Amino acid sequence: MKVLVPVKRVIDYNVKARVKADQTGVDLANVKMSMNPFDEIAVEEAVRLKEGKEHHAAGTASEIVVVSIGVTQAQETIRTALAMGADRGLLIQSDADLEPLAVARLLKAVVDEEKPDLVLMGKQSIDGDNNAVGQMLAALLDWPQATFAGKLVIADGKATVTREVDGGLQTVAATLPAVVTVDLRLNTPRYASLPNIMKAKKKEIAVKAVADYGVDTAPRLKVLKVTEPPKRAGGIKVTDAADLVAKLKTAGVL
Amino acid sequence: MAVLVIADRDGNTVRDTTHKTVTAALKLSGDVDILVIGQGSKAAADAAAKIAGVRKVLLAESAGLGHQLAEAVEATVVGLAGGYDAILSPATTDGKNFMPRIAAKLDVAPISDIVEVVSPDTFTRPIYAGNALETIQTSDAKKVITVRPTAFDAAGEGGSASVETVTGADAGKSAFVSEEMVKSDRPELGAAKIVVSGGRALGSAEEFHAVMDPLADKLGAAVGASRAAVDAGYAPNDYQVGQTGKVVAPALYIAIGISGAIQHLAGMKDSKIIVAINKDADAPIFQVADYGWVADYKTAVPELMKALG
């Protein structure tokens, strides 16, 4: 089974995003960038499918292709995935910040070319927080989708996915080929070992341009402004329970 | 301009996330219909028909729709989309699952998790885990939008819309296997008026429940947890409040032993009153708390229980 894993280069999750003074966006100059954490989990699961770790049979995945759409430096993100155990990479170079619909269309073109049996990807990127590309890719391909995976089992031509939903867990079975988007608790991604980092340097990364795919990536949305959320003023300190309860009663919440 | 709201069905009724989404929809247009999806949903459709300001309720039933599978919901909604300029759903896990799929089928750029309707084509939504808000204008003629329920007031009751039956689609290439919903006598985390949340300071699952459960029961509150507490195994996954868990905005939020990481604050900072109990006076949670109490939870919580009577 061939697995395609789309990955995105985003602001590191430990860095606090700062809004630019001119309200045009978030300041990413000299900010640490990393692989989107949900995508890292998708790469890890794909590698486990290949290695036969946890409940997966060895060789469930035969080849893992990693694709990223973004700036030249996104090659580093692909390289990280290769060091974790993916086989080869593809960068579709774009300096524009593409919308989910455009990304889904480009990924569909990649799927048409690569013909994977499974697309495994993060449920959302931690910059735009749209939580949309996986579902949109599934729709464009007319494939079934299983989102927010907390557990994945591949057997009998199906992806059986336990989904993290409001109020509990839901298990669905999607006939392959399918798109599965992953949630935080699916696994804990590994750190690449030094020998694997060295090996990854020899793995192939093909570089293409958005124009090579001939799909419409024109934006539909115009960002009018990006602002800081309203700040909550810190309140007052209390030193005993009776005082706290009295204040909460006055505020009308008890 | 007509708007279709996809209801968040709960057995024989609809959750108040539906009422909140209707409030957002009414800012787009006075012609708001509700679509209730699922097998055996007549009672839920009748409940939706009572929401004030609703023109009519559409009821789509089929075996595949019982569990809101994305493929079946998409096929059903796309079939109805011709009659609407905007389709809205609450940003629940169901809505987040099927709405982008519907958008792609309609060749529309979806707009996720809006917290404000600026005008019928302009919306505000949080990005970067709530550390920034973007205001975006769409050029799509049709709009597909998920609504963050905590950002809108619930539409009232008192409507008397008619209920019409429409064709429901089947799921096709995906099938429901099972579900495991957490049963609790306490209010649901997303809908509770009071939420008490525990953090990593509680140290173990036994301690978490020993401290949090009696306090929640005394206050009639839902129990939440920080991601640190969930990751440490002290509390189940669905307790998690934060950007990667649930976004809550109760009247009263009591954070116990929670330091206040950015991702936790993103999930609760819209609460009306925030109380923080933490022995570390420098914990960031105090920067957003209306009432901060620098104390060890081990002594503070029993005192609080006593003071509550």
Side-chain angles (χ1 to χ4, degrees):
Chain A
M1 184 179 75
K2 185 168 170 178
V3 183
L4 181 74
V5 186
V7 297
K8 187 176 184 186
R9 179 178 186 266
V10 297
I11 188 168
D12 187 88
Y13 77 101
N14 281 316
V15 177
K16 188 178 190 301
R18 306 239 172 244
V19 172
K20 287 189 203 165
D22 65 2
Q23 300 197 336
T24 56
V26 164
D27 194 358
L28 295 178
N30 305 316
V31 165
K32 187 184 177 202
M33 304 292 279
S34 300
M35 191 191 303
N36 180 42
F38 292 105
D39 303 350
E40 233 178 330
I41 294 168
V43 172
E44 174 66 33
E45 195 69 11
V47 174
R48 289 184 189 190
L49 282 167
K50 192 172 176 188
E51 294 172 337
K53 288 261 170 71
E54 309 274 325
H55 54 277
H56 301 305
T60 305
S62 50
E63 188 186 17
I64 303 164
V65 182
V66 173
V67 56
S68 190
I69 302 168
V71 294
T72 311
Q73 295 92 317
Q75 286 198 48
E76 294 161 20
T77 312
I78 295 173
R79 202 63 79 185
T80 304
L82 296 177
M84 288 171 72
D87 296 298
R88 62 187 168 86
L90 166 65
L91 171 68
I92 304 176
Q93 216 157 3
S94 167
D95 290 333
D97 191 11
L98 298 175
E99 290 172 6
L101 181 59
V103 173
R105 280 184 174 154
L106 283 167
L107 291 177
K108 178 185 184 291
V110 172
V111 169
D112 289 345
E113 230 171 61
E114 293 281 349
K115 302 194 170 34
D117 305 285
L118 174 68
V119 177
L120 199 53
M121 57 195 290
K123 71 167 182 177
Q124 73 188 68
S125 63
I126 60 165
D127 47 5
D129 284 336
N130 284 292
N131 192 335
V133 173
Q135 297 89 315
M136 297 180 85
L137 174 62
L140 296 179
L141 289 164
D142 237 332
W143 286 9
Q145 69 188 49
T147 52
F148 324 144
K151 188 181 179 194
L152 169 67
V153 177
I154 302 284
D156 308 324
K158 283 187 178 133
T160 302
V161 174
T162 302
R163 307 178 53 234
E164 308 229 352
V165 297
D166 294 338
L169 300 169
Q170 182 195 56
T171 304
V172 296
T175 304
L176 297 173
V179 176
V180 174
T181 78
V182 309
D183 217 323
L184 279 176
R185 283 166 288 269
L186 181 62
N187 61 46
T188 307
R190 71 192 66 194
Y191 289 101
S193 66
L194 189 58
N196 285 340
I197 292 170
M198 299 310 286
K199 253 195 271 175
K201 290 188 175 162
K202 296 204 183 77
K203 290 180 181 174
E204 175 207 340
I205 299 180
V207 179
K208 293 204 175 186
V210 170
D212 295 341
Y213 292 91
V215 300
D216 172 15
T217 58
R220 306 285 186 85
L221 308 172
K222 190 172 154 194
V223 178
L224 301 182
K225 62 174 178 179
V226 175
T227 55
E228 292 241 16
K231 280 210 167 51
R232 248 192 118 97
I236 55 167
K237 289 281 195 302
V238 295
T239 50
D240 69 83
D243 184 24
L244 176 60
V245 169
K247 286 195 162 68
L248 294 177
K249 282 189 173 149
T250 310
V253 292
L254 276 187
Chain B
M1 180 173 184
V3 180
L4 184 66
V5 169
I6 304 175
D8 183 12
R9 180 202 167 197
D10 181 18
N12 286 332
T13 185
V14 291
R15 292 191 181 87
D16 85 327
T17 48
T18 308
H19 299 66
K20 290 171 172 174
T21 306
V22 166
T23 299
L26 287 167
K27 290 178 196 270
L28 291 170
S29 163
D31 295 329
V32 173
D33 295 350
I34 296 183
L35 172 64
V36 177
I37 289 174
Q39 192 76 304
S41 293
K42 179 65 171 71
D46 290 340
K50 295 195 180 77
I51 299 175
V54 173
R55 187 173 69 171
K56 67 179 173 191
V57 173
L58 307 179
L59 170 61
E61 294 183 289
S62 80
L65 289 171
H67 298 282
Q68 314 275 313
L69 295 181
E71 298 79 3
V73 174
E74 170 244 294
T76 303
V77 175
V78 168
L80 297 168
Y84 296 94
D85 305 292
I87 302 166
L88 272 64
S89 151
T92 54
T93 46
D94 280 339
K96 289 174 182 173
N97 185 34
F98 55 64
M99 290 298 268
R101 189 173 178 104
I102 292 166
K105 285 284 183 191
L106 295 172
D107 190 28
V108 165
I111 301 174
S112 305
D113 218 11
I114 63 162
V115 294
E116 189 189 346
V117 177
V118 178
S119 76
D121 67 357
T122 304
F123 308 92
T124 301
R125 56 181 298 272
I127 53 175
Y128 289 89
N131 286 306
L133 292 170
E134 70 171 3
T135 301
I136 48 174
Q137 184 176 35
T138 177
S139 58
D140 282 320
K142 213 180 276 293
K143 294 157 194 76
V144 176
I145 299 167
T146 58
V147 175
R148 180 174 287 197
T150 55
F152 294 88
D153 294 329
E157 299 278 326
S160 56
S162 59
V163 177
E164 276 175 30
T165 303
V166 295
T167 312
D170 268 312
K173 288 179 255 185
S174 108
F176 172 78
V177 177
S178 63
E179 68 184 3
E180 204 181 306
M181 292 298 158
V182 177
K183 291 200 173 52
S184 170
D185 295 333
R186 298 201 187 96
E188 208 187 328
L189 188 53
K193 298 247 183 317
I194 302 177
V195 173
V196 292
S197 267
R200 193 164 45 188
L202 288 129
S204 71
E206 296 71 33
E207 181 73 354
F208 187 95
H209 290 289
V211 173
M212 303 304 294
D213 292 359
L215 181 61
D217 291 338
K218 181 154 279 218
L219 290 164
V223 183
S226 69
R227 181 170 163 199
V230 170
D231 283 351
Y234 305 163
N237 290 341
D238 55 305
Y239 277 34
Q240 192 189 138
V241 172
Q243 181 67 17
T244 51
K246 280 217 172 55
V247 177
V248 302
L252 174 60
Y253 188 91
I254 304 180
I256 296 168
I258 291 179
S259 63
I262 293 168
Q263 92 93 23
H264 184 76
L265 301 184
M268 46 64 86
K269 66 181 169 49
D270 294 328
S271 305
K272 191 169 162 233
I273 299 279
I274 296 173
V275 173
I277 299 173
N278 197 307
K279 66 178 176 186
D280 174 10
D282 297 325
I285 191 82
F286 288 121
Q287 290 163 22
V288 301
D290 299 279
Y291 303 111
W293 185 5
V294 181
D296 190 332
Y297 78 86
K298 286 184 181 135
T299 50
V301 174
E303 273 183 48
L304 182 58
M305 292 282 285
K306 215 170 129 200
L308 286 165

